[in-house]
Amino acid sequence: MSSKQDKIKKMLEMQKKFIEMDRAHGITAEEYFTPESGAELDGYRQEYSKIAMEVVDEAHTEKGSHR
């Protein structure tokens, strides 16, 4: 991903898909925290966290602040 806006868009898409899944059939804590390999949520938390931290880092860089 190239820009902060692209990353934010990706995060919003991920959230929308997660909410749709939850509304359709619910999501257990086990499915969320320890999904089976290949499951829809496999890697979700890690990918979302990675993108979120990239957005935070870019925002700090833009403002010249440190975290």
Side-chain angles (χ1 to χ4, degrees):
M1 285 180 217
S2 58
S3 75
K4 185 173 71 172
Q5 289 302 320
D6 290 337
K7 291 173 185 172
I8 292 169
K9 182 179 177 184
K10 173 68 175 174
M11 290 172 63
L12 291 172
E13 290 169 359
M14 291 176 72
Q15 288 175 352
K16 181 179 178 185
K17 184 177 178 182
F18 180 88
I19 291 167
E20 288 171 356
M21 288 172 51
D22 189 38
R23 287 182 179 163
H25 61 76
I27 295 174
T28 66
E30 183 178 43
E31 290 172 315
Y32 181 73
F33 289 105
T34 57
E36 293 182 15
S37 181
E40 283 189 82
L41 291 177
D42 186 19
Y44 174 87
R45 288 184 317 115
Q46 295 82 355
E47 181 180 2
Y48 191 89
S49 293
K50 178 183 174 275
I51 296 169
M53 289 312 302
E54 290 172 2
V55 169
V56 168
D57 290 342
E58 287 182 36
H60 281 291
T61 299
E62 289 174 4
K63 294 296 179 184
S65 59
H66 303 283
R67 54 175 187 140

